[in-house]
Amino acid sequence: MLKKALSTLLFLLSVSFGQKTLEVWIMPNSGQPAEDFKALVAPFERANNVEVKVTVLDWGVAWTRITAAATSGVGPDITQLGTTWVGAISAMGVLEPLDDVLQALGGQQAYLPAVWNTTRLAGSRQATAMPWFSELRAFYYRTDALRSAGINPAQMFSSWQNFEAGLERLARSSFTDPETKQRLFPFCTAGKNSWDVLHNAAPWIWGAGGDIVRQVAGRWQSALNTPESLQGLYFFLSLAQKGLIPAESLEKNTAQIEADFQAGRCATFASGPWMIQRAQVPEAKGGFAERPAAKNLGVAPYPPGPKGRYTFFGGSNLAIFTFSKSKPLAKELLKYLGSLEAQLAYARATGMLPALRAAWNAPEIQGNPLMRTFIQAAQFGRTYPSLAGWGGVENLAVQHLGMAWDLVAQKKLTQEGLKDLMDKASNAINGALR
């Protein structure tokens, strides 16, 4: 009781006498990231007589800027962190404990386990980050293309075998996009030139019963070269070698693949919930509402593999630096941003899924059948472990997966060659983990 009273007193003093500004770093989460964030926090600013200053960091420089702030002690009060970054920054000892904030928002029961696991360093009882929004993957497909090929989407996405069979039927189909008059590629996915190479591969690894890393005798080590992981990887990569993924896709990044789907070049591809929002926005404002792809849009969860159905579950959290001079006020801002109303408002602005589970019951989400499919997919969501050295692990995995994509592009991928690459990746990852 005394602790709570002291916290309230410190908060009131900070508002009355202390610094009445808060500095926040975010990434480009929406079409107009600074403007959208300022609109989101405007009610908080008015209610607390405070100015929230926002700086937008490009994802390409964000890690460097945030770690520089962490080591120098000079930076914002609050920073956005990709969920896979929480472990590394937490291990630096520069993040304020946030258990009280999370309790105020409903505690562990307010979030899916996959989301809750991103709030702290693996093995720690202390939370150092608040879930802000979720990013997960599902398959988008052209309803008109599947209908023309005589494919039932529910059947196509019911297993790996049926998924591949559906792609083969799409490859044989004579369907053309009404606007471009061109035949569609069955499946488009980025190769080694995309930042999310591992995210694209992970659901197939998990679906076969494999993993990126796992604990053995209390120590983390690579699992990329296990038979299960190799089975999942080979299934995914071999789709391109069989001609079901166009060779030109393998030279593109995720943004280019999204553009290809919007332009009517692809019948299926995997992406996040933001595509639903873009399908409702005109091209002049960054969407593709006028295109046939938007008018014939379907969504399905990843097909289940031999050991289950999984999807990559990521997103972003918010954290407070220990060197902030306005911690009580910063915590109040986090409580506001984590509230039901703010979660829904930011979901509308970004197209992302709210992190707060209660927000998923809102009519604007439940009333959209495409978003309901993402809610369904979220039940199969899985995250990477929040390890201090995860950044190095992911970089090494991406590097060696890129080499595998090179073999695919040359039509030289074999199961033996893939195992050799993943053995090398595992040796490097184990060295990094040690």
Side-chain angles (χ1 to χ4, degrees), residues 139-197:
F139 267 92
Y140 288 93
Y141 62 88
R142 287 283 295 265
T143 57
D144 50 354
L146 268 65
R147 185 168 55 250
S148 177
I151 298 170
N152 178 351
Q155 183 177 7
M156 178 175 173
F157 293 95
S158 65
S159 70
W160 283 7
Q161 291 72 24
N162 287 338
F163 177 68
E164 184 174 348
L167 295 182
E168 289 171 347
R169 292 188 70 168
L170 287 167
R172 296 191 299 267
S173 172
S174 59
F175 176 81
T176 59
D177 182 82
E179 185 175 81
T180 66
K181 309 302 181 187
Q182 300 292 314
R183 291 180 63 185
L184 279 64
F185 294 116
F187 176 24
C188 293
T189 190
K192 69 174 184 179
N193 293 321
S194 196
W195 62 272
D196 53 356
V197 173

Side-chain angles (χ1 to χ4, degrees), residues 281-290:
V281 174
E283 199 166 349
K285 295 186 178 180
F288 63 110
E290 302 92 339

Side-chain angles (χ1 to χ4, degrees), residues 105-106 110-111 115 131-132 134 338-341 343 353-360:
L105 294 171
Y111 305 95
V115 176
W132 193 19
S134 295
S339 68
L340 178 64
E341 295 77 11
Q343 288 269 292
L353 197 65
L356 195 66
R357 186 151 42 174
W360 297 355

Side-chain angles (χ1 to χ4, degrees), residues 80 110 115 133 142 167 207 234 257 264 266 319 339 359 361 380 411:
Q80 177 179 341
V115 176
F133 59 80
R142 287 283 295 265
L167 295 182
Y234 190 77
I257 296 297
C266 312
S339 68
N361 296 321
F380 313 113
K411 296 192 180 298

Side-chain angles (χ1 to χ4, degrees), residues 136 138-139 298-301 368-378 380:
L136 66 151
F139 267 92
V299 179
N368 186 323
L370 301 183
M371 285 301 292
R372 284 204 306 272
T373 301
F374 269 95
I375 297 296
Q376 177 191 355
F380 313 113

Side-chain angles (χ1 to χ4, degrees), residues 13 21 28 44 46 121 189 195 198 201 206-207 220 222 227 260 295 299 305 331 341 367 377 383 385 393 406 411:
L13 287 173
T21 62
F44 179 86
R46 290 192 296 270
L121 178 66
T189 190
W195 62 272
L198 186 59
W206 293 329
W220 289 96
S222 173
D260 280 350
K295 297 170 184 175
V299 179
K331 286 190 174 184
E341 295 77 11
T383 57
V393 170
D406 279 337
K411 296 192 180 298

